Amino acid sequence: MSMFLDTAKIKVKAGKGGDGMVAFRREKYVPNGGPWGGDGGRGGDVIFQVDEGLRTLMDFRYNRNFRADNGEKGMTKGMHGRGAEDLLVRVPQGTTVRDAVSGKVITDLVENGQTYIVAHGGRGGRGNIRFATPKNPAPEISENGEPGQERDLELELKVLADVGLVGFPSVGKSTLLSVITSAKPKIGAYHFTTIVPNLGMVRTHSGDSFAVADLPGLIEGASQGVGLGTQFLRHIERTRVILHVVDMSASEGRDPYEDYLAINKELESYNLRLMERPQIIVANKMDMPDSEENLKIFKEKLTSHFDEFEELPMIFPISSLTKQGLGTLLEATAELLDKTDEFLLYEETEMEEEVYYGFDEVAPEFEISREDDAAWVLTGDRLEKLFTMTNFDRDESVMKFARQLRGMGVDEALRARGAKDGDIVRIGKFEFEFID
């Protein structure tokens, strides 16, 4: 079984803030000590950090739930509860993080050590020392901690390589990679020997170096899910130059030029932007009989395919077996890389906008619906957050929550919808009677 995994779905939940405390000073010779309850500590964030030592998302196959610790509760003497440690989750370079619900890209992690907060911890609730006023110098009010952010994420690994090798199975991509780098890919005389992307570093005679990825062989229909191609085409998206390896010996009984067209069609079908990357055609297996004649025919067909204003792709005849022509190919590849800028993987419309964790004044603060049992149901992010942070063990906190609802216009809205005295109003699992 392959130990390479390049996609994963996980759940992350940041820590809840610690609850604020209700406490009063009770010291000898200190009359009317007043409130002394401290605030709760901040909940831990869930943070992704790039680790260049990781190569796959295999760690996320068995551990799909990541939960940060909650903050400590507030204490007496006005002391804050301790904030929770952030949860650091290590991911490989080249990991794209998407929101599983919206499909938006949250972040693209490509640099070693790069970090990103994927779920923010909740703030700690305020203790009663925060609610003291001249009118109410000894309040019995405290807040519960704010809930931490919770979200479902999709992780997608796209290997970091400057150059990608593409072509039909058994055209010699793995052999070429093993000859020009120190990589040791599995090589066999049958299709789909390569079932995972292989990476290797190339150093040219002139001192240039670049990373090369050997991708599992494509076949016609790969972009529609045929063979292994659709599973690994994502890994070519980060490459800046494509080396299109073609078997000029036609040892598989296929026409080299038709192979070239078929692979380009699959690349275009998967992602139109892949065709923006410059290509070098690698005419492999030139040590075999008929290769010279096939190359001549290939060049004629290629020339007729491009019009006079289009630039023909460079063609380099090589033999991975005899190492013929490799030096020239690698120097040309390094030179092309120098002239080729990075390709932007994601447009701004695909990226998730900066998240604002306060209250949105434009969005409705609450919504009212009615269930089959005639109960009125209140929903809404702000309303539900206020509810969660209310300490219902304290009468003053409950009264404060009632005032907040009234200030938001909940009473008037219920009355306008036809709510009558004694009707049941529900927020989550909490129920209370409407009093007109």
Side-chain angles (χ1 to χ4, degrees), residues 221-241:
S223 58
Q224 278 73 50
V226 179
L228 296 173
T230 189
Q231 188 176 350
F232 296 108
L233 269 170
R234 67 173 64 91
H235 296 291
I236 203 173
E237 291 188 53
R238 293 195 192 279
T239 61
R240 287 186 287 148
V241 172

Side-chain angles (χ1 to χ4, degrees), residues 258-298:
E258 294 300 324
D259 281 5
Y260 168 77
L261 293 180
I263 294 300
N264 276 346
K265 183 179 178 183
E266 295 310 316
L267 295 178
E268 187 175 11
S269 299
Y270 176 75
N271 183 342
L272 283 172
R273 297 209 64 201
L274 289 182
M275 297 308 294
E276 296 176 13
R277 286 146 178 76
Q279 274 194 26
I280 293 177
I281 299 173
V282 181
N284 197 17
K285 302 188 182 180
M286 292 304 296
D287 56 307
M288 301 285 285
D290 302 324
S291 293
E292 291 290 348
E293 183 63 27
N294 289 338
L295 178 57
K296 183 180 178 183
I297 297 170
F298 181 91

Side-chain angles (χ1 to χ4, degrees), residues 21-24 139-142 390-400:
M21 189 174 192
V22 173
F24 295 93
E140 292 191 20
I141 302 176
S142 68
T390 298
N391 181 358
F392 286 92
D393 293 334
R394 299 281 178 176
D395 290 341
E396 282 194 40
S397 294
V398 176
M399 292 169 62
K400 175 173 174 282

Side-chain angles (χ1 to χ4, degrees), residues 100-141:
V101 178
S102 67
K104 290 283 188 181
V105 175
I106 297 172
T107 184
D108 196 26
L109 301 168
V110 294
E111 297 177 11
N112 183 41
Q114 182 181 351
T115 59
Y116 190 88
I117 301 174
V118 293
H120 291 258
R123 70 171 176 84
R126 293 175 291 178
N128 68 330
I129 199 171
R130 298 279 192 170
F131 296 96
T133 64
K135 287 186 177 180
N136 186 8
E140 292 191 20
I141 302 176

Side-chain angles (χ1 to χ4, degrees), residues 306-365:
F306 285 79
D307 63 41
E308 58 180 319
F309 301 106
E310 290 182 292
E311 186 178 352
L312 284 171
M314 292 184 289
I315 303 176
F316 287 87
I318 69 156
S319 169
S320 299
L321 195 62
T322 64
K323 301 185 180 180
Q324 165 196 344
L326 294 181
T328 310
L329 169 64
L330 298 181
E331 293 291 350
T333 304
E335 193 175 317
L336 188 56
L337 278 171
D338 286 339
K339 298 186 293 186
T340 307
D341 296 328
E342 297 280 349
F343 285 86
L344 185 66
L345 271 191
Y346 303 104
E347 303 290 346
E348 287 187 11
T349 53
E350 296 178 274
M351 295 288 287
E352 186 178 77
E353 294 180 6
E354 186 69 27
V355 180
Y356 171 61
Y357 291 96
F359 296 135
D360 189 347
E361 299 296 337
V362 179
E365 294 180 324

Side-chain angles (χ1 to χ4, degrees), residues 11-17 42-47 65-71 83-89 117-122 147-150:
K11 291 178 178 290
V12 295
K13 185 174 184 180
K16 170 183 173 294
R42 181 189 63 85
D45 297 332
V46 180
I47 302 175
N65 294 287
F66 297 86
R67 182 188 294 264
D69 292 335
N70 298 332
E85 293 286 334
D86 296 329
L87 176 63
L88 205 62
V89 181
I117 301 174
V118 293
H120 291 258
Q149 191 182 12
E150 185 174 4

Side-chain angles (χ1 to χ4, degrees), residues 172-287:
K173 299 187 303 299
S174 296
T175 304
L176 176 59
L177 183 73
S178 69
V179 171
I180 63 177
T181 74
S182 299
K184 300 291 185 240
K186 184 178 178 182
I187 302 171
Y190 53 89
H191 288 184
F192 301 118
T193 308
T194 306
I195 57 174
V196 301
N198 292 300
L199 277 171
M201 286 298 298
V202 171
R203 183 171 291 278
T204 66
H205 291 302
S206 59
D208 293 317
S209 61
F210 52 87
V212 181
D214 162 31
L215 305 177
L218 301 178
I219 60 175
E220 198 164 359
S223 58
Q224 278 73 50
V226 179
L228 296 173
T230 189
Q231 188 176 350
F232 296 108
L233 269 170
R234 67 173 64 91
H235 296 291
I236 203 173
E237 291 188 53
R238 293 195 192 279
T239 61
R240 287 186 287 148
V241 172
I242 295 175
L243 294 187
H244 194 146
V245 185
V246 181
D247 177 7
M248 278 300 158
S249 70
S251 57
E252 296 282 326
R254 299 188 307 266
D255 179 358
Y257 184 69
E258 294 300 324
D259 281 5
Y260 168 77
L261 293 180
I263 294 300
N264 276 346
K265 183 179 178 183
E266 295 310 316
L267 295 178
E268 187 175 11
S269 299
Y270 176 75
N271 183 342
L272 283 172
R273 297 209 64 201
L274 289 182
M275 297 308 294
E276 296 176 13
R277 286 146 178 76
Q279 274 194 26
I280 293 177
I281 299 173
V282 181
N284 197 17
K285 302 188 182 180
M286 292 304 296
D287 56 307

